[in-house]
Amino acid sequence: MSEQARESSYRGADSRGFFGPYGGAYVPETVVPALQELEAAFAKSQTDPAFAEEYETLLRDYVGRPSPLYRADRLAEAVRLGAVYLKREDLNHTGAHKINNTIGQCLLARRMGKKRVIAETGAGQHGVATATAAALLGQECAVFMGVEDIRRQALNVYKMRLLGAEVIPVDEGTGTLADAVTAAMRHWVERVRDTFYVLGSALGPHPYPTIVREFQRVIGDEAIVQLAERGVRPDAIVACVGGGSNAIGTFYPFLLASSAEDLPLLVGAEAAGKGLDTSETGASIALGDPGVMHGFFSYLLQDERGNPLEAYSISAGLDYPGIGPEHAYLHDEGLVRYVPVTDDEALVAFEQLCRTEGIIPAIESAHALALLPQLAEELGPDAIVLLTVSGRGDKDVDVVREAGIGE
Ligand SMILES: *Cc1c(COP(=O)(O)O)cnc(C)c1O
């Protein structure tokens, strides 16, 4: 086959931000000019070598990229795979992939002349990553956080304040992430002249899903180079999916680089929580229906009247009641397989990585690890798997101990 014919036809969103029927910008008229300004500034930044250079320099010298690609032999043996390569986003400054995106968006904010950034946060991870980037770039920072989450995540609230950010409590609704997003959007409209909204996952109204993907694709871009250096071709690639930013950042470069025939099996692990047959779950693909929330159309967990349900997972990063629109499209097209993973399955995989490799993963990332045994069964004992460890697990040690693991 010629090189031309082997090229992928995958292109991402159309000019209005639709991935098939998903995505778009379902927002009040008042937000439209701000999104258009953002889209134009982002497009310009992407063709400016000076922007790329500054972003890449910070990723190298401040974040510590490229993140290592580590062959985890004892883990591979335990799960009966030929090889498992871990993409170590847990080794980034601040301990997860989120910093890739917040540095990108805060640089974009500066370029647009906005002196102030705002963000929403649930567990506080995106809030801390935004406060970090804002401190680095000397920007004023305010983070919207539900009162219930403020109570549950006291350490991250303190970290944000330590980094110079203001944490703004949101006491509407259930006082959790969905309410914080709504409050941040509303505030953005009022202060758009001097304020940039740093969105935390590959979702929200166009152009956010594309912006976040472009700032996270460094994960997959690096992995392609690192695998090629070793002459390795993965049979499967696995990542956990909350809103979907570490997963799309991992998958997208492979989608671009491969034809349909030689695309590895792409697998996203979504949170099943206490099980698909319970109401305590975060599995938007397995259990959700298409609908609109937070300005975009995608699979959502919703009641009969289309109101978002509260999602649940043991991992605070996966309990969003929706999924980024690009994932909804990749699901429908059959390009990525989404598999629900329960709390209990994730806990087993969490402990396994601690014991076999001396790596304490984020409980989010443990959802991806939990799929390795079933992939071994399906693909055989020689199969090679690439897996993104989205973050480190220090933040989860209390929760895991409460669950009785390791004692
Ligand atoms: C926030 C978070 C996630 C989930 O977010 P995505 O946008 O789906 O990547 C996963 N892992 C870690 C460590 C996180 O902090």
Side-chain angles (χ1 to χ4, degrees), residues 35-49:
L35 291 170
Q36 286 171 343
E37 183 195 7
L38 174 62
E39 186 181 1
F42 176 67
K44 245 180 122 191
S45 76
Q46 292 305 96
T47 56
D48 181 352

Side-chain angles (χ1 to χ4, degrees), residues 24 26 35-36 48 56 61 87 89 94 132 139 182 191 216 251 277 284 296 298-299 301 303 313 316 339 344 348-349:
Y26 296 85
L35 291 170
Q36 286 171 343
D48 181 352
E56 283 158 22
D61 297 344
K87 183 62 175 154
E89 294 301 300
T94 68
T132 300
Q139 292 161 330
T182 306
R191 287 283 300 263
Q216 290 294 357
F251 298 158
D277 53 350
S284 320
F296 66 105
S298 188
Y299 284 94
L301 296 173
D303 66 18
S313 165
V339 183
D344 288 346
V348 170

Side-chain angles (χ1 to χ4, degrees), residues 95-98 125 200-202 240-247 317-318 362 364-365 390-392 395:
H97 67 291
K98 287 198 168 74
Q125 298 299 110
S201 189
C240 66
V241 182
S245 70
N246 89 87
L318 302 185
E364 290 86 357
S365 320
S390 54
R392 66 174 183 232
K395 67 186 179 58

Side-chain angles (χ1 to χ4, degrees), residues 191-258:
R191 287 283 300 263
V192 69
R193 211 176 35 78
D194 71 339
T195 297
F196 185 102
Y197 181 15
V198 180
L199 215 148
S201 189
L203 42 76
H206 176 68
Y208 279 107
T210 297
I211 290 178
V212 176
R213 182 196 68 210
E214 288 302 308
F215 288 138
Q216 290 294 357
R217 65 175 286 178
V218 64
I219 303 172
D221 284 331
E222 284 176 6
I224 285 176
V225 173
Q226 290 166 320
L227 288 165
E229 278 167 6
R230 292 161 212 217
V232 172
R233 281 174 45 98
D235 299 294
I237 302 176
V238 193
C240 66
V241 182
S245 70
N246 89 87
I248 201 68
T250 303
F251 298 158
Y252 182 68
F254 288 91
L255 284 162
L256 290 187
S258 317

Side-chain angles (χ1 to χ4, degrees), residues 75-119:
L75 174 66
E77 195 187 330
V79 298
R80 301 195 153 76
L81 277 164
V84 177
Y85 286 88
L86 301 179
K87 183 62 175 154
R88 299 287 308 276
E89 294 301 300
D90 58 311
L91 294 177
N92 294 340
H93 176 49
T94 68
H97 67 291
K98 287 198 168 74
I99 191 84
N100 304 327
N101 172 49
T102 59
I103 286 185
Q105 289 196 42
C106 286
L107 281 175
L108 189 56
R110 190 173 69 187
R111 204 185 150 91
M112 292 172 74
K114 317 267 179 187
K115 299 211 170 349
R116 184 167 174 272
V117 298
I118 59 167

